Amino acid sequence: MKKWTKPFIATMIALPLMTAPLAAHASQQLTIYAPNKMATKLVVEHKSPYSYAKNGSMTKFLMHELHYTHYVKGYAVSKSEKTITLNFKSSLATSQVVQGSTGGQFFTDRIAVTFFKNMPKLQTIYFRLDGKETSLDHVNFTNIQRSDYKKMLK
């Protein structure tokens, strides 16, 4: 009976090398949330295919899918992926996006639910306006926690 040690070992070494590039191009579906037609709750707006290799940063991709890219001044993601800082331009404060109590609340909730649902490690989102923590009439640029959204994330 022949020993298959050498070909078997070679296969064990070569297989991970062959599949590693495939894993880097793996795609997943990200879910984007928006208010329903009556503006009473968040619902799934759409799902988008995402791949880091093709789309780059998930934070940037999600902000694009939420149609808020125009208002983003910058963002930072911690190495552990547990915190994200979203820094918005001052033009957001006077935009239609955050006008009225409902608009301001859905702006924050929409980002929070979309990010927390798609990023399981994420625990805290820091909202900033021109780099500062601030409160406006209808929206607060402060910190939100995953635990604040327990009911919405079920």
Side-chain angles (χ1 to χ4, degrees):
M1 192 168 184
K2 284 188 172 184
K3 289 187 178 182
W4 294 98
T5 315
K6 289 180 183 175
F8 181 70
I9 291 171
T11 303
M12 286 176 45
I13 293 169
L15 188 58
L17 295 174
M18 294 185 312
T19 58
L22 297 175
H25 297 288
S27 184
Q28 65 188 88
Q29 288 287 321
L30 299 183
T31 306
I32 310 303
Y33 293 85
N36 64 3
K37 289 180 182 180
M38 297 183 348
T40 57
K41 65 179 182 176
L42 289 177
V43 296
V44 173
E45 180 183 57
H46 67 278
K47 293 187 181 230
S48 293
Y50 168 80
S51 159
Y52 182 81
K54 181 180 175 192
N55 304 110
S57 163
M58 187 181 293
T59 300
K60 187 175 180 179
F61 181 80
L62 289 174
M63 292 306 285
H64 171 77
E65 290 296 306
L66 290 165
H67 306 290
Y68 294 146
T69 306
H70 176 70
Y71 301 106
V72 176
K73 192 172 190 174
Y75 65 90
V77 180
S78 68
K79 212 173 214 183
S80 66
E81 299 177 358
K82 289 185 178 183
T83 62
I84 290 178
T85 300
L86 297 173
N87 187 21
F88 294 94
K89 298 175 186 173
S90 59
S91 60
L92 176 65
T94 57
S95 75
Q96 292 293 334
V97 174
V98 296
Q99 295 307 308
S101 304
T102 305
Q105 188 63 51
F106 273 126
F107 168 76
T108 305
D109 290 349
R110 191 167 181 231
I111 292 171
V113 171
T114 297
F115 274 69
F116 287 137
K117 286 270 195 171
N118 290 297
M119 302 173 104
K121 292 181 186 177
L122 183 61
Q123 295 301 312
T124 307
I125 303 173
Y126 298 98
F127 285 84
R128 298 293 180 260
L129 188 65
D130 277 331
K132 297 176 188 148
E133 189 172 315
T134 188
S135 292
L136 303 176
D137 289 341
H138 302 294
V139 66
N140 294 319
F141 292 88
T142 57
N143 310 338
I144 57 171
Q145 304 288 324
R146 177 180 288 276
S147 59
D148 299 336
Y149 285 85
K150 254 184 200 171
K151 289 182 181 179
M152 293 177 132
L153 297 174
K154 287 183 181 180

